PDB file of all heavy atoms in Angstrom:
ATOM      1  N   PRO Y   1      73.276 149.786 116.742  1.00  0.00           N
ATOM      2  CA  PRO Y   1      74.146 149.463 115.608  1.00  0.00           C
ATOM      3  C   PRO Y   1      73.443 148.546 114.634  1.00  0.00           C
ATOM      4  O   PRO Y   1      72.726 147.624 115.037  1.00  0.00           O
ATOM      5  CB  PRO Y   1      75.345 148.760 116.270  1.00  0.00           C
ATOM      6  CG  PRO Y   1      75.390 149.258 117.674  1.00  0.00           C
ATOM      7  CD  PRO Y   1      73.935 149.437 118.046  1.00  0.00           C
ATOM      8  N   VAL Y   2      73.573 148.785 113.353  1.00  0.00           N
ATOM      9  CA  VAL Y   2      72.937 147.970 112.325  1.00  0.00           C
ATOM     10  C   VAL Y   2      73.811 146.746 112.063  1.00  0.00           C
ATOM     11  O   VAL Y   2      75.036 146.849 111.951  1.00  0.00           O
ATOM     12  CB  VAL Y   2      72.702 148.779 111.041  1.00  0.00           C
ATOM     13  CG1 VAL Y   2      74.002 149.233 110.385  1.00  0.00           C
ATOM     14  CG2 VAL Y   2      71.841 148.001 110.047  1.00  0.00           C
ATOM     15  N   SER Y   3      73.197 145.595 111.990  1.00  0.00           N
ATOM     16  CA  SER Y   3      73.945 144.338 111.835  1.00  0.00           C
ATOM     17  C   SER Y   3      74.142 143.997 110.361  1.00  0.00           C
ATOM     18  O   SER Y   3      73.564 144.595 109.461  1.00  0.00           O
ATOM     19  CB  SER Y   3      73.161 143.197 112.506  1.00  0.00           C
ATOM     20  OG  SER Y   3      71.966 142.906 111.805  1.00  0.00           O
ATOM     21  N   ASN Y   4      75.003 142.999 110.131  1.00  0.00           N
ATOM     22  CA  ASN Y   4      75.189 142.495 108.751  1.00  0.00           C
ATOM     23  C   ASN Y   4      73.853 142.087 108.130  1.00  0.00           C
ATOM     24  O   ASN Y   4      73.551 142.410 106.989  1.00  0.00           O
ATOM     25  CB  ASN Y   4      76.131 141.300 108.773  1.00  0.00           C
ATOM     26  CG  ASN Y   4      77.574 141.702 108.990  1.00  0.00           C
ATOM     27  OD1 ASN Y   4      78.140 142.571 108.291  1.00  0.00           O
ATOM     28  ND2 ASN Y   4      78.226 141.059 109.960  1.00  0.00           N
ATOM     29  N   ALA Y   5      73.048 141.347 108.922  1.00  0.00           N
ATOM     30  CA  ALA Y   5      71.779 140.860 108.422  1.00  0.00           C
ATOM     31  C   ALA Y   5      70.835 141.996 108.115  1.00  0.00           C
ATOM     32  O   ALA Y   5      70.142 142.013 107.080  1.00  0.00           O
ATOM     33  CB  ALA Y   5      71.128 139.909 109.460  1.00  0.00           C
ATOM     34  N   GLU Y   6      70.766 142.971 109.012  1.00  0.00           N
ATOM     35  CA  GLU Y   6      69.854 144.118 108.789  1.00  0.00           C
ATOM     36  C   GLU Y   6      70.270 144.937 107.578  1.00  0.00           C
ATOM     37  O   GLU Y   6      69.407 145.336 106.775  1.00  0.00           O
ATOM     38  CB  GLU Y   6      69.812 144.971 110.059  1.00  0.00           C
ATOM     39  CG  GLU Y   6      69.128 144.304 111.229  1.00  0.00           C
ATOM     40  CD  GLU Y   6      69.289 145.107 112.517  1.00  0.00           C
ATOM     41  OE1 GLU Y   6      70.335 145.750 112.699  1.00  0.00           O
ATOM     42  OE2 GLU Y   6      68.362 145.058 113.367  1.00  0.00           O
ATOM     43  N   PHE Y   7      71.540 145.234 107.451  1.00  0.00           N
ATOM     44  CA  PHE Y   7      71.975 146.077 106.327  1.00  0.00           C
ATOM     45  C   PHE Y   7      71.783 145.347 104.991  1.00  0.00           C
ATOM     46  O   PHE Y   7      71.369 145.952 104.003  1.00  0.00           O
ATOM     47  CB  PHE Y   7      73.416 146.500 106.484  1.00  0.00           C
ATOM     48  CG  PHE Y   7      73.799 147.582 105.536  1.00  0.00           C
ATOM     49  CD1 PHE Y   7      73.189 148.816 105.570  1.00  0.00           C
ATOM     50  CD2 PHE Y   7      74.788 147.367 104.566  1.00  0.00           C
ATOM     51  CE1 PHE Y   7      73.506 149.820 104.657  1.00  0.00           C
ATOM     52  CE2 PHE Y   7      75.147 148.368 103.642  1.00  0.00           C
ATOM     53  CZ  PHE Y   7      74.487 149.589 103.703  1.00  0.00           C
ATOM     54  N   ALA Y   8      72.077 144.042 104.975  1.00  0.00           N
ATOM     55  CA  ALA Y   8      71.839 143.272 103.748  1.00  0.00           C
ATOM     56  C   ALA Y   8      70.379 143.283 103.382  1.00  0.00           C
ATOM     57  O   ALA Y   8      69.988 143.450 102.216  1.00  0.00           O
ATOM     58  CB  ALA Y   8      72.327 141.840 103.914  1.00  0.00           C
ATOM     59  N   THR Y   9      69.518 143.138 104.375  1.00  0.00           N
ATOM     60  CA  THR Y   9      68.076 143.135 104.131  1.00  0.00           C
ATOM     61  C   THR Y   9      67.599 144.502 103.625  1.00  0.00           C
ATOM     62  O   THR Y   9      66.761 144.587 102.715  1.00  0.00           O
ATOM     63  CB  THR Y   9      67.304 142.764 105.424  1.00  0.00           C
ATOM     64  OG1 THR Y   9      67.737 141.468 105.866  1.00  0.00           O
ATOM     65  CG2 THR Y   9      65.800 142.767 105.201  1.00  0.00           C
ATOM     66  N   MET Y  10      68.159 145.573 104.178  1.00  0.00           N
ATOM     67  CA  MET Y  10      67.769 146.906 103.724  1.00  0.00           C
ATOM     68  C   MET Y  10      68.156 147.124 102.256  1.00  0.00           C
ATOM     69  O   MET Y  10      67.325 147.564 101.434  1.00  0.00           O
ATOM     70  CB  MET Y  10      68.487 147.979 104.570  1.00  0.00           C
ATOM     71  CG  MET Y  10      67.996 148.037 106.018  1.00  0.00           C
ATOM     72  SD  MET Y  10      69.025 149.197 106.985  1.00  0.00           S
ATOM     73  CE  MET Y  10      68.267 149.046 108.602  1.00  0.00           C
ATOM     74  N   ILE Y  11      69.401 146.796 101.894  1.00  0.00           N
ATOM     75  CA  ILE Y  11      69.878 147.006 100.537  1.00  0.00           C
ATOM     76  C   ILE Y  11      69.100 146.132  99.552  1.00  0.00           C
ATOM     77  O   ILE Y  11      68.683 146.580  98.471  1.00  0.00           O
ATOM     78  CB  ILE Y  11      71.393 146.696 100.435  1.00  0.00           C
ATOM     79  CG1 ILE Y  11      72.220 147.791 101.132  1.00  0.00           C
ATOM     80  CG2 ILE Y  11      71.840 146.539  98.987  1.00  0.00           C
ATOM     81  CD1 ILE Y  11      72.245 149.097 100.400  1.00  0.00           C
ATOM     82  N   VAL Y  12      68.928 144.886  99.888  1.00  0.00           N
ATOM     83  CA  VAL Y  12      68.234 143.958  98.969  1.00  0.00           C
ATOM     84  C   VAL Y  12      66.793 144.314  98.832  1.00  0.00           C
ATOM     85  O   VAL Y  12      66.203 144.249  97.735  1.00  0.00           O
ATOM     86  CB  VAL Y  12      68.439 142.510  99.457  1.00  0.00           C
ATOM     87  CG1 VAL Y  12      67.560 141.550  98.654  1.00  0.00           C
ATOM     88  CG2 VAL Y  12      69.904 142.072  99.320  1.00  0.00           C
ATOM     89  N   SER Y  13      66.143 144.702  99.927  1.00  0.00           N
ATOM     90  CA  SER Y  13      64.723 145.131  99.854  1.00  0.00           C
ATOM     91  C   SER Y  13      64.563 146.344  98.969  1.00  0.00           C
ATOM     92  O   SER Y  13      63.555 146.456  98.247  1.00  0.00           O
ATOM     93  CB  SER Y  13      64.211 145.448 101.280  1.00  0.00           C
ATOM     94  OG  SER Y  13      64.215 144.282 102.089  1.00  0.00           O
ATOM     95  N   ALA Y  14      65.503 147.236  99.027  1.00  0.00           N
ATOM     96  CA  ALA Y  14      65.424 148.495  98.236  1.00  0.00           C
ATOM     97  C   ALA Y  14      65.728 148.287  96.762  1.00  0.00           C
ATOM     98  O   ALA Y  14      65.101 148.902  95.915  1.00  0.00           O
ATOM     99  CB  ALA Y  14      66.339 149.559  98.820  1.00  0.00           C
ATOM    100  N   TRP Y  15      66.697 147.418  96.451  1.00  0.00           N
ATOM    101  CA  TRP Y  15      67.213 147.351  95.094  1.00  0.00           C
ATOM    102  C   TRP Y  15      67.105 146.018  94.410  1.00  0.00           C
ATOM    103  O   TRP Y  15      67.030 145.953  93.185  1.00  0.00           O
ATOM    104  CB  TRP Y  15      68.692 147.794  95.100  1.00  0.00           C
ATOM    105  CG  TRP Y  15      68.860 149.216  95.430  1.00  0.00           C
ATOM    106  CD1 TRP Y  15      69.010 149.747  96.689  1.00  0.00           C
ATOM    107  CD2 TRP Y  15      68.877 150.335  94.538  1.00  0.00           C
ATOM    108  NE1 TRP Y  15      69.148 151.131  96.603  1.00  0.00           N
ATOM    109  CE2 TRP Y  15      69.066 151.507  95.293  1.00  0.00           C
ATOM    110  CE3 TRP Y  15      68.782 150.453  93.165  1.00  0.00           C
ATOM    111  CZ2 TRP Y  15      69.139 152.764  94.739  1.00  0.00           C
ATOM    112  CZ3 TRP Y  15      68.839 151.716  92.586  1.00  0.00           C
ATOM    113  CH2 TRP Y  15      69.023 152.856  93.368  1.00  0.00           C
ATOM    114  N   TYR Y  16      67.103 144.940  95.142  1.00  0.00           N
ATOM    115  CA  TYR Y  16      67.206 143.616  94.486  1.00  0.00           C
ATOM    116  C   TYR Y  16      66.167 142.614  95.015  1.00  0.00           C
ATOM    117  O   TYR Y  16      66.484 141.463  95.299  1.00  0.00           O
ATOM    118  CB  TYR Y  16      68.606 143.044  94.689  1.00  0.00           C
ATOM    119  CG  TYR Y  16      69.677 143.986  94.236  1.00  0.00           C
ATOM    120  CD1 TYR Y  16      70.464 144.683  95.171  1.00  0.00           C
ATOM    121  CD2 TYR Y  16      69.898 144.237  92.900  1.00  0.00           C
ATOM    122  CE1 TYR Y  16      71.448 145.583  94.745  1.00  0.00           C
ATOM    123  CE2 TYR Y  16      70.850 145.121  92.458  1.00  0.00           C
ATOM    124  CZ  TYR Y  16      71.644 145.792  93.389  1.00  0.00           C
ATOM    125  OH  TYR Y  16      72.627 146.671  92.963  1.00  0.00           O
ATOM    126  N   PRO Y  17      64.878 143.018  95.152  1.00  0.00           N
ATOM    127  CA  PRO Y  17      63.869 142.050  95.646  1.00  0.00           C
ATOM    128  C   PRO Y  17      63.636 140.883  94.732  1.00  0.00           C
ATOM    129  O   PRO Y  17      63.374 139.780  95.193  1.00  0.00           O
ATOM    130  CB  PRO Y  17      62.654 142.940  95.799  1.00  0.00           C
ATOM    131  CG  PRO Y  17      62.856 144.059  94.838  1.00  0.00           C
ATOM    132  CD  PRO Y  17      64.315 144.323  94.841  1.00  0.00           C
ATOM    133  N   ALA Y  18      63.736 141.092  93.404  1.00  0.00           N
ATOM    134  CA  ALA Y  18      63.507 139.985  92.461  1.00  0.00           C
ATOM    135  C   ALA Y  18      64.573 138.912  92.602  1.00  0.00           C
ATOM    136  O   ALA Y  18      64.285 137.701  92.542  1.00  0.00           O
ATOM    137  CB  ALA Y  18      63.448 140.523  91.041  1.00  0.00           C
ATOM    138  N   GLU Y  19      65.838 139.354  92.782  1.00  0.00           N
ATOM    139  CA  GLU Y  19      66.900 138.368  92.958  1.00  0.00           C
ATOM    140  C   GLU Y  19      66.706 137.577  94.249  1.00  0.00           C
ATOM    141  O   GLU Y  19      66.987 136.370  94.292  1.00  0.00           O
ATOM    142  CB  GLU Y  19      68.244 139.124  92.996  1.00  0.00           C
ATOM    143  CG  GLU Y  19      68.736 139.608  91.630  1.00  0.00           C
ATOM    144  CD  GLU Y  19      68.169 140.956  91.233  1.00  0.00           C
ATOM    145  OE1 GLU Y  19      67.143 141.372  91.836  1.00  0.00           O
ATOM    146  OE2 GLU Y  19      68.743 141.618  90.365  1.00  0.00           O
ATOM    147  N   ARG Y  20      66.231 138.253  95.288  1.00  0.00           N
ATOM    148  CA  ARG Y  20      65.999 137.553  96.562  1.00  0.00           C
ATOM    149  C   ARG Y  20      64.880 136.494  96.404  1.00  0.00           C
ATOM    150  O   ARG Y  20      64.975 135.414  96.996  1.00  0.00           O
ATOM    151  CB  ARG Y  20      65.621 138.536  97.655  1.00  0.00           C
ATOM    152  CG  ARG Y  20      65.403 137.899  99.021  1.00  0.00           C
ATOM    153  CD  ARG Y  20      65.258 138.917 100.118  1.00  0.00           C
ATOM    154  NE  ARG Y  20      64.202 139.887  99.861  1.00  0.00           N
ATOM    155  CZ  ARG Y  20      64.066 141.038 100.546  1.00  0.00           C
ATOM    156  NH1 ARG Y  20      64.932 141.346 101.497  1.00  0.00           N
ATOM    157  NH2 ARG Y  20      63.087 141.857 100.238  1.00  0.00           N
ATOM    158  N   GLU Y  21      63.889 136.803  95.623  1.00  0.00           N
ATOM    159  CA  GLU Y  21      62.813 135.835  95.399  1.00  0.00           C
ATOM    160  C   GLU Y  21      63.352 134.539  94.752  1.00  0.00           C
ATOM    161  O   GLU Y  21      62.934 133.453  95.107  1.00  0.00           O
ATOM    162  CB  GLU Y  21      61.718 136.441  94.497  1.00  0.00           C
ATOM    163  CG  GLU Y  21      60.867 137.500  95.205  1.00  0.00           C
ATOM    164  CD  GLU Y  21      59.782 138.047  94.293  1.00  0.00           C
ATOM    165  OE1 GLU Y  21      59.619 137.494  93.185  1.00  0.00           O
ATOM    166  OE2 GLU Y  21      59.117 139.012  94.677  1.00  0.00           O
ATOM    167  N   LEU Y  22      64.308 134.718  93.839  1.00  0.00           N
ATOM    168  CA  LEU Y  22      64.934 133.522  93.212  1.00  0.00           C
ATOM    169  C   LEU Y  22      65.717 132.710  94.224  1.00  0.00           C
ATOM    170  O   LEU Y  22      65.667 131.516  94.233  1.00  0.00           O
ATOM    171  CB  LEU Y  22      65.842 133.961  92.062  1.00  0.00           C
ATOM    172  CG  LEU Y  22      65.143 134.304  90.736  1.00  0.00           C
ATOM    173  CD1 LEU Y  22      66.198 134.697  89.697  1.00  0.00           C
ATOM    174  CD2 LEU Y  22      64.355 133.129  90.232  1.00  0.00           C
ATOM    175  N   VAL Y  23      66.451 133.422  95.078  1.00  0.00           N
ATOM    176  CA  VAL Y  23      67.214 132.725  96.102  1.00  0.00           C
ATOM    177  C   VAL Y  23      66.284 131.971  97.049  1.00  0.00           C
ATOM    178  O   VAL Y  23      66.562 130.818  97.421  1.00  0.00           O
ATOM    179  CB  VAL Y  23      68.095 133.756  96.921  1.00  0.00           C
ATOM    180  CG1 VAL Y  23      68.683 133.087  98.131  1.00  0.00           C
ATOM    181  CG2 VAL Y  23      69.209 134.295  96.023  1.00  0.00           C
ATOM    182  N   GLN Y  24      65.174 132.584  97.402  1.00  0.00           N
ATOM    183  CA  GLN Y  24      64.202 131.936  98.283  1.00  0.00           C
ATOM    184  C   GLN Y  24      63.617 130.680  97.646  1.00  0.00           C
ATOM    185  O   GLN Y  24      63.343 129.695  98.337  1.00  0.00           O
ATOM    186  CB  GLN Y  24      63.089 132.912  98.630  1.00  0.00           C
ATOM    187  CG  GLN Y  24      63.519 134.015  99.564  1.00  0.00           C
ATOM    188  CD  GLN Y  24      62.472 135.119  99.726  1.00  0.00           C
ATOM    189  OE1 GLN Y  24      61.705 135.387  98.810  1.00  0.00           O
ATOM    190  NE2 GLN Y  24      62.446 135.731 100.908  1.00  0.00           N
ATOM    191  N   LYS Y  25      63.480 130.689  96.343  1.00  0.00           N
ATOM    192  CA  LYS Y  25      62.889 129.520  95.632  1.00  0.00           C
ATOM    193  C   LYS Y  25      63.900 128.400  95.447  1.00  0.00           C
ATOM    194  O   LYS Y  25      63.534 127.227  95.449  1.00  0.00           O
ATOM    195  CB  LYS Y  25      62.363 129.944  94.277  1.00  0.00           C
ATOM    196  CG  LYS Y  25      61.101 130.838  94.323  1.00  0.00           C
ATOM    197  CD  LYS Y  25      60.664 131.193  92.905  1.00  0.00           C
ATOM    198  CE  LYS Y  25      59.437 132.073  92.956  1.00  0.00           C
ATOM    199  NZ  LYS Y  25      59.030 132.511  91.585  1.00  0.00           N
ATOM    200  N   HIS Y  26      65.177 128.765  95.262  1.00  0.00           N
ATOM    201  CA  HIS Y  26      66.143 127.759  94.818  1.00  0.00           C
ATOM    202  C   HIS Y  26      67.214 127.409  95.819  1.00  0.00           C
ATOM    203  O   HIS Y  26      68.029 126.504  95.572  1.00  0.00           O
ATOM    204  CB  HIS Y  26      66.815 128.238  93.535  1.00  0.00           C
ATOM    205  CG  HIS Y  26      65.888 128.403  92.380  1.00  0.00           C
ATOM    206  ND1 HIS Y  26      65.408 127.354  91.648  1.00  0.00           N
ATOM    207  CD2 HIS Y  26      65.279 129.517  91.863  1.00  0.00           C
ATOM    208  CE1 HIS Y  26      64.621 127.783  90.700  1.00  0.00           C
ATOM    209  NE2 HIS Y  26      64.523 129.101  90.818  1.00  0.00           N
ATOM    210  N   MET Y  27      67.264 128.090  96.962  1.00  0.00           N
ATOM    211  CA  MET Y  27      68.339 127.836  97.924  1.00  0.00           C
ATOM    212  C   MET Y  27      67.753 127.537  99.296  1.00  0.00           C
ATOM    213  O   MET Y  27      66.626 127.875  99.602  1.00  0.00           O
ATOM    214  CB  MET Y  27      69.305 129.020  97.977  1.00  0.00           C
ATOM    215  CG  MET Y  27      69.925 129.363  96.646  1.00  0.00           C
ATOM    216  SD  MET Y  27      71.340 130.496  96.796  1.00  0.00           S
ATOM    217  CE  MET Y  27      72.566 129.395  97.534  1.00  0.00           C
ATOM    218  N   SER Y  28      68.568 126.899 100.121  1.00  0.00           N
ATOM    219  CA  SER Y  28      68.167 126.556 101.467  1.00  0.00           C
ATOM    220  C   SER Y  28      68.084 127.817 102.347  1.00  0.00           C
ATOM    221  O   SER Y  28      69.040 128.581 102.421  1.00  0.00           O
ATOM    222  CB  SER Y  28      69.154 125.554 102.077  1.00  0.00           C
ATOM    223  OG  SER Y  28      68.877 125.348 103.441  1.00  0.00           O
ATOM    224  N   ILE Y  29      66.949 127.996 102.977  1.00  0.00           N
ATOM    225  CA  ILE Y  29      66.741 129.155 103.865  1.00  0.00           C
ATOM    226  C   ILE Y  29      66.415 128.659 105.266  1.00  0.00           C
ATOM    227  O   ILE Y  29      65.383 128.049 105.527  1.00  0.00           O
ATOM    228  CB  ILE Y  29      65.583 130.050 103.355  1.00  0.00           C
ATOM    229  CG1 ILE Y  29      65.812 130.482 101.918  1.00  0.00           C
ATOM    230  CG2 ILE Y  29      65.406 131.242 104.277  1.00  0.00           C
ATOM    231  CD1 ILE Y  29      67.044 131.288 101.686  1.00  0.00           C
TER     232      ILE Y  29
END
């Protein structure tokens, strides 16, 4: 079964990698 984390990573990797880069720079990870 695909998890919440895995599916979010799939969608963001495919369509929104630039937005994720901003989150990585400006938010707590």
